[in-house]
């Protein structure tokens, strides 16, 4: 895990080594072990290294042979298996880092073949000094971040926007920043909340020559994994065979992600996903320490994490997070998150448990992200079918009245899209609607009901997972911790996307969850975990990450006075007083998240100054002991 940033200027310009060093300084938290820069004519790149595989000079970056230069962030899990073929083509290795493997693959095979061959999580910049051409590439699911911007005839890129801001004045986009109040400040596959700054898309690449505008390409899409033949093969399997196959795939994935010369731990909540990862790692001969965040309160899951640790005989490290800690850390977390912390305020306790892992010598944490999306672990994924059934009489009437448009428009329950919903879609450039249509096309032949249910997994992967990956990367790297995700191994994802829904949920003769009674979620995951842990953990309901947020704070007028919202939304003092008096605490809390972000990135106020303002003007309306 590392951080990198760079630029490709017009051919008549030269990259400044001093500027590159300043860009590297902005990313030092991502790579505290080594830092270096390289400049050659219009090209320049800065790299900060967190040494995990081969900490010797053989893995130093930027890696260059004079003709090509590589700056790389992430892990190539199958790099060892790629080496023999590369050696046959003349590659000579001086160490055992995956960076060196990637370098020779790109040099000998080219970018397109290398992207098809590598498996892992990655973002990299590959520069051809002779052609003065750079390729910016990102992994299939968008695990590793990579932004770019084409401004004033130059291309800028970076693992984080703050490094790019060193080289060019970049400010938040007011429209997209305000729209993050409605959700989606950090869950787009393309746009960011910064004007002119976009993501290299997951499974995508950007190519540019010096002085020429970048071109965007795609080497992978999630829909390409939706395979009707494989789906029919899984459909015909007995349930026991399905769970056996998931267990095999997960064991291979966990084993591959233990690749490290640095200490590895497990981010364990006591839930199904992290418990399975910890159990499989121990089965493979790696009893990894567990790290958990105890969010103090009635929803604490500490007892489950302790039960897991005791049963597997693993050490457990606990980061206690009390409500008042939110105010203490949310500003610094927003600085690292680089978008308003609205949906993911859970990132604050996440950052603290990563800091604990760092203090205990860890550099890598395995995490369970992806399981809920693939195997339907979220309550809303099951509750929808009950909502549809409850609305059936109204749906039938709506279809009947559709023959008489004037009557249909008069129905109170007629579906009407609000202007706010439309603006959210607009801020996402309609990417969600486009993706839904693409996935639906891949499921041709299913009934309307079957299609609706089978779309849950790919849509959740597209719409929800990306924000969790953003949170885990930023909050982990805030403490120089790399997060790895065994459920996001390519073969596990392919299996999960094509596995029919009837295998993912099972009917049981008891109320498992009031919002979807008699329906057991993530059934295959539970079945694979069953031999390793007590039944109490197998039957565990999904609690989610319950914590107090800014919605539980009460703000004084001074928090918004002369601030970002006053500037972009024209909020005068009387409007602020009215808002605080009549608007819901939830909405005011969301506005406060935007205010913090705007003060940091639009008004360039310091973390310390905004911390002081927040402590003066905000009071948590919850017990603090």
């Amino acid at each position: 895990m590392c951080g990198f940033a760079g630029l490709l200027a017009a051919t008549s310009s030269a990259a400044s080594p001093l500027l590159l060093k300043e860009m590297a300084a902005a990313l030092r938290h991502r790579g505290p072990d080594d830092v270096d820069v390289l400049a050659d004519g219009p090209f320049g790149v800065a790299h900060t290294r967190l040494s995990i595989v081969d900490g010797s000079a053989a893995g130093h970056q930027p890696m260059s042979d004079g003709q090509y230069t590589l700056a790389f962030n992430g892990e190539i899990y199958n790099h060892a298996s790629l080496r023999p073929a590369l050696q046959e083509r003349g590659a000579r290795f001086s160490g055992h880092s995956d960076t060196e493997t990637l370098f020779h693959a790109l040099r000998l095979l080219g970018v397109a073949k290398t992207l098809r061959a590598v498996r892992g999580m990655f973002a990299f910049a590959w520069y051809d000094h002779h052609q003065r051409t750079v390729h910016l590439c990102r992994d299939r699911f968008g695990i590793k971040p990579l932004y770019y911007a084409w401004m004033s005839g130059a291309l800028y890129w970076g693992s984080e926007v703050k490094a790019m801001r060193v080289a060019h004045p970049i400010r938040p986009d007011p429209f997209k920043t305000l729209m993050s109040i409605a959700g989606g400040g950090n869950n787009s596959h393309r746009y960011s909340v910064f004007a002119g700054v976009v993501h290299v898309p997951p499974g995508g690449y950007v190519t540019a020559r010096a002085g020429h505008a970048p071109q965007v390409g795609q080497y992978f899409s999630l829909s390409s994994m939706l395979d009707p033949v494989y789906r029919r093969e899984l459909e015909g399997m007995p349930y026991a065979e399905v769970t056996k196959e998931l267990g095999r795939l997960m064991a291979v994935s966990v084993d591959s992600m233990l690749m490290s010369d640095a200490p590895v731990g497990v981010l364990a909540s006591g839930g199904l996903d992290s418990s399975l990862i910890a159990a499989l790692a121990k089965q493979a001969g790696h009893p990894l320490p567990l790290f958990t965040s105890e969010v103090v309160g009635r929803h604490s899951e500490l007892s489950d994490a302790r039960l897991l640790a005791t049963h597997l005989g693993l050490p457990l490290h606990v980061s206690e997070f009390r409500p008042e800690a939110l105010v203490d850390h949310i500003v610094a977390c927003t600085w690292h998150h680089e978008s308003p912390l609205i949906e993911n305020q859970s990132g604050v306790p996440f950052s603290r448990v990563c800091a604990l892992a760092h203090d205990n010598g860890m550099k890598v944490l395995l995490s369970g992200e992806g399981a809920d999306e693939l195997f339907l672990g979220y309550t809303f994924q099951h509750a929808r079918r009950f909502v549809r059934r409850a609305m059936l009489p109204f749906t039938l009437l709506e279809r009947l009245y559709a023959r008489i448009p004037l009557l249909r428009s008069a129905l109170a329950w007629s579906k009407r899209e609000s202007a706010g919903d439309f603006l959210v879609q607009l801020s996402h450039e309609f990417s969600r609607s486009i993706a839904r249509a693409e996935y639906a096309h891949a499921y041709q032949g299913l009934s309307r009901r079957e299609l609706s249910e089978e779309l849950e997994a790919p849509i959740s992967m597209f719409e929800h997972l990306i924000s969790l990956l953003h949170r885990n990367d930023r909050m982990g790297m805030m403490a120089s911790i790399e997060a790895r995700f065994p459920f996001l191994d390519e073969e596990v994802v392919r299996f999960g996307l094509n596995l029919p829904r009837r295998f993912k949920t099972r009917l049981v003769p008891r109320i498992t969850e009031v919002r979807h009674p008699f329906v057991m979620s993530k059934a295959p995951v539970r079945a694979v975990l069953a031999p390793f842990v007590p039944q109490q953990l197998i039957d565990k309901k999904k609690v989610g990450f319950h914590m107090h947020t800014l919605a539980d704070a009460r703000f004084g007028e001074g928090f918004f006075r002369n601030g970002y919202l006053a500037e972009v939304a024209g909020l005068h003092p009387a409007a602020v007083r009215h808002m605080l008096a009549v608007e819901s605490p939830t909405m005011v809390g969301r506005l406060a998240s935007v205010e913090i972000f705007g003060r940091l990135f639009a008004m360039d106020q310091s973390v310390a100054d905004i911390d002081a303002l927040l402590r003066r003007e905000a009071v948590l309306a919850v017990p603090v002991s």
Side-chain angles (χ1 to χ4, degrees):
M1 175 68 89
C2 308
F4 67 92
L7 59 93
L8 185 60
T11 53
S12 60
S13 303
S16 163
L18 179 60
L19 177 64
L20 293 169
K21 289 178 181 179
E22 292 175 356
M23 295 173 80
L27 296 174
R28 198 60 196 264
H29 55 281
R30 297 188 68 93
D33 296 331
D34 190 20
V35 61
D36 202 358
V37 303
L38 185 150
D40 178 27
F43 170 78
V45 67
H47 190 274
T48 63
R49 186 182 183 198
L50 180 65
S51 303
I52 293 175
V53 177
D54 191 352
S56 74
H60 177 79
Q61 295 190 58
M63 187 171 285
S64 184
D65 65 357
Q67 180 178 352
Y68 299 105
T69 292
L70 171 67
F72 162 56
N73 168 29
E75 306 291 348
I76 307 298
Y77 297 122
N78 67 334
H79 84 100
S81 66
L82 298 176
R83 284 196 165 204
L86 295 173
Q87 287 172 319
E88 289 178 4
R89 298 181 66 130
R92 297 182 181 278
F93 294 96
S94 58
H96 64 274
S97 75
D98 52 342
T99 305
E100 198 177 10
T101 305
L102 179 61
F103 182 92
H104 286 296
L106 289 165
R107 181 178 64 85
L108 295 170
L109 305 179
V111 174
K113 287 185 178 179
T114 297
L115 288 173
R116 290 196 295 270
V118 295
R119 295 290 180 267
M121 55 178 192
F122 55 84
F124 63 82
W126 174 250
Y127 185 65
D128 183 331
H129 292 258
H130 293 175
Q131 299 295 324
R132 290 191 166 184
T133 299
V134 69
H135 299 273
L136 307 176
C137 306
R138 196 173 177 206
D139 66 65
R140 290 165 175 79
F141 308 126
I143 300 173
K144 294 294 99 193
L146 183 53
Y147 297 93
Y148 72 98
W150 170 249
M151 296 177 172
S152 304
L155 180 68
Y156 302 88
W157 63 84
S159 300
E160 296 182 14
V161 179
K162 57 178 63 69
M164 299 164 63
R165 281 163 54 91
V166 172
H168 196 279
I170 293 173
R171 288 285 183 261
D173 181 308
F175 170 63
K176 291 184 174 178
T177 300
L178 288 173
M179 287 312 302
S180 66
I181 294 170
N186 65 303
N187 61 358
S188 171
H189 288 243
R190 184 178 184 277
Y191 85 85
S192 77
V193 291
F194 292 92
V197 177
V198 293
H199 297 275
V200 174
Y205 59 88
V206 171
T207 302
R209 293 185 63 192
H212 295 267
Q215 302 297 312
V216 183
Q218 201 78 20
Y219 70 91
F220 170 86
S221 66
L222 201 62
S223 62
S224 68
M225 283 190 160
L226 302 177
D227 183 348
V229 175
Y230 186 38
R231 186 178 187 280
R232 286 194 295 272
E233 179 186 331
L234 294 173
E235 179 75 51
M237 282 186 180
Y239 181 65
E241 287 298 311
V242 166
T243 59
K244 181 179 179 181
E245 177 66 1
L246 176 59
R248 183 189 71 81
L249 291 172
M250 282 299 299
V252 171
S253 176
V254 168
D255 186 63
S256 72
M257 294 190 192
L258 292 172
M259 176 186 82
S260 178
D261 296 327
V264 180
V266 177
L267 187 64
S269 65
L272 299 172
D273 316 324
S274 55
S275 296
L276 178 58
I277 290 168
L280 291 174
K282 183 179 180 184
Q283 183 185 52
H286 299 272
L288 304 180
L290 308 180
F291 294 85
T292 193
S293 176
E294 184 200 6
V295 179
V296 176
R298 64 189 184 92
H299 294 294
S300 170
E301 297 181 272
L302 181 58
S303 60
D304 291 326
R306 282 177 171 160
L307 178 60
L308 173 68
T310 300
H311 190 81
L312 295 180
L314 301 174
L316 176 67
H317 303 269
V318 181
S319 171
E320 184 182 88
F321 189 84
R322 294 188 173 275
E324 61 269 27
L326 177 74
V327 173
D328 294 335
H329 299 288
I330 194 167
V331 179
C333 286
T334 301
W335 171 249
H336 285 274
H337 197 257
E338 292 191 335
S339 65
L341 267 173
I342 294 178
E343 298 99 334
N344 283 326
Q345 290 184 26
S346 58
V348 183
F350 184 90
S351 73
R352 306 318 303 154
V353 73
C354 288
L356 175 67
H358 174 83
D359 291 344
N360 279 270
M362 298 296 111
K363 286 191 174 182
V364 178
L365 289 178
L366 304 185
S367 179
E369 256 66 52
D372 286 322
E373 288 76 12
L374 289 171
F375 299 102
L376 307 186
Y378 294 115
T379 297
F380 68 81
Q381 294 169 323
H382 307 285
R384 283 173 182 162
R385 64 168 57 184
F386 296 101
V387 172
R388 285 195 293 269
R389 291 170 185 172
M391 292 295 292
L392 182 60
F394 304 104
T395 302
L396 293 175
L397 275 177
E398 190 173 37
R399 290 178 183 174
L400 177 63
Y401 275 47
R403 299 176 180 273
I404 311 173
L406 288 176
L407 288 177
R408 183 183 185 186
S409 65
L411 286 174
W413 55 83
S414 181
K415 297 175 184 176
R416 294 187 181 93
E417 184 178 56
S418 70
D421 292 334
F422 177 80
L423 287 173
V424 171
Q425 287 195 56
L426 180 63
S427 72
H428 280 268
E429 298 173 327
F430 302 101
S431 60
R432 291 182 173 184
S433 298
I434 293 170
R436 285 171 180 261
E438 183 181 341
Y439 300 150
H441 180 75
Y443 281 119
Q444 284 182 344
L446 298 182
S447 69
R448 185 174 179 178
R449 181 186 64 79
E450 289 174 324
L451 177 62
S452 175
E453 294 186 345
E454 297 301 341
L455 282 175
E456 291 283 5
I459 287 173
S460 292
M461 287 282 289
F462 182 88
E463 295 183 358
H464 187 256
L465 180 64
I466 199 75
S467 68
L468 297 180
L469 296 176
H470 180 103
R471 177 199 69 182
N472 285 25
D473 175 83
R474 297 312 181 82
M475 299 299 97
M477 292 313 301
M478 185 176 174
S480 303
I481 290 289
E482 173 180 281
R484 297 180 181 177
F485 310 99
F487 280 97
L488 295 183
D489 170 85
E490 283 89 339
E491 289 305 312
V492 175
V493 172
R494 180 171 175 265
F495 175 88
L497 287 176
N498 288 285
L499 186 67
R501 181 181 180 125
R502 70 180 182 86
F503 289 113
K504 299 178 183 180
T505 60
R506 308 289 282 180
L507 295 176
V508 293
R510 62 183 185 277
I511 297 177
T512 57
E513 165 65 55
V514 293
R515 289 167 288 185
H516 50 85
F518 311 113
V519 176
M520 177 186 288
S521 63
K522 287 200 291 192
V525 179
R526 296 176 195 269
V528 176
L529 180 61
F532 298 107
V533 300
Q535 190 65 35
Q536 178 181 332
L537 294 181
I538 303 298
D539 293 337
K540 180 177 170 61
K541 299 176 183 178
K542 185 170 182 61
V543 176
F545 211 88
H546 289 278
M547 57 171 285
H548 297 294
T549 68
L550 290 182
D552 299 304
R554 301 299 173 261
F555 293 90
E557 295 175 30
F559 183 71
F560 296 96
R561 186 180 300 125
N562 300 321
Y564 179 69
L565 287 168
E567 180 179 308
V568 301
L571 286 184
H572 52 80
V576 171
R577 286 194 295 273
H578 177 80
M579 177 186 75
L580 295 176
V582 305
E583 291 296 337
S584 70
T586 297
M587 189 56 66
V588 173
R590 287 172 175 252
L591 287 168
S593 297
V594 170
E595 182 69 35
I596 291 170
F597 170 80
R599 286 178 179 269
L600 283 168
F601 291 99
M603 305 179 74
D604 295 321
Q605 295 181 6
S606 71
V607 170
D609 285 346
I610 304 171
D611 270 339
L613 175 66
L614 188 61
R615 291 191 180 99
R616 281 198 313 270
E617 297 290 343
V619 177
L620 280 174
V622 294
V624 296
S625 60

